[in-house]
Amino acid sequence: KKRVGVLISGRGSNLQALIDAARSPDYPAEIALVISNVPDVQGLERAEQAGIATTVINHRDFPTRQAFEAVLDEALTGAGVELLCNAGFMRLLTESFVSSWLNRHLNIHPSLLPAFQGLHTHTRVLEAGATITGCTVHFVRAAVDSGPIVAQAAVPVHPGDTEDTLAARVLQAEHRLYPHALRLVASGQVHVESEHVVGMPQAEGQTALF
Ligand code: GAR
């Protein structure tokens, strides 16, 4: 099993989905460490409940991004982490950190990338009048919410949706998509070649309509 580190900043519902998936004996990954950059968040409680080691590395305790990331990297390396998953982790990472975890680092974003990168995703989807949105798991690159796409799920926007109703519908898809995408990567079924994820026919693994 691949040793996975999960970075969080809050609620941790995607972390929970990964924890639940990893309970399965045939799942190719185990959660070795959960790190939050924010103290006292629900995601830390979820990890503790599951008996997973947790650390708070509060970015506010460090004078620079580099200093924060040095400690982050040390904690991950020290725990023998082989694959890193951002799950609602809301800090930008420097190019240097990103390159040291290159192709071993996943993120989930609540839109069909490359559409709607960045913050306040659902509000902007509604403002744009989009009728389909979704979520994406991708390998992390220095530019925010970009990088080779591992898997996506499409989710309909319903008339009358608010930010909250849409976020909740997309979140349900996220909870299925992330364990699926991590399985593809941890098992070695997919890998990055020339900045694209390859290894299996698109229809079999990378696209899901939930
Ligand atoms: C999720 O919707 C995730 O896609 C999003 O934050 C939420 C975290 O929820 N991430 C981003 O917007 C990153 N750009 P969670 O803490 O319950 O998993």
Side-chain angles (χ1 to χ4, degrees), residues 81-117:
V81 167
E82 302 167 277
L83 263 177
L84 189 53
C85 290
N86 291 3
F89 180 67
M90 303 309 269
R91 290 301 291 170
L92 296 175
L93 294 161
T94 66
E95 196 145 0
S96 150
F97 184 91
V98 169
S99 61
S100 67
W101 287 90
L102 194 75
N103 297 341
R104 300 184 296 147
H105 188 182
L106 298 173
N107 180 48
I108 187 157
H109 182 76
S111 76
L112 288 175
L113 292 176
F116 304 105
Q117 294 160 328

Side-chain angles (χ1 to χ4, degrees), residues 144-179:
V144 76
D145 299 326
S146 69
I149 289 170
V150 179
Q152 294 186 301
V155 174
V157 180
H158 291 166
D161 261 341
T162 63
E163 188 187 344
D164 286 351
T165 59
L166 183 56
R169 192 174 311 118
V170 172
L171 196 64
Q172 286 190 344
E174 292 184 52
H175 295 163
R176 298 185 198 203
L177 189 71
Y178 214 165

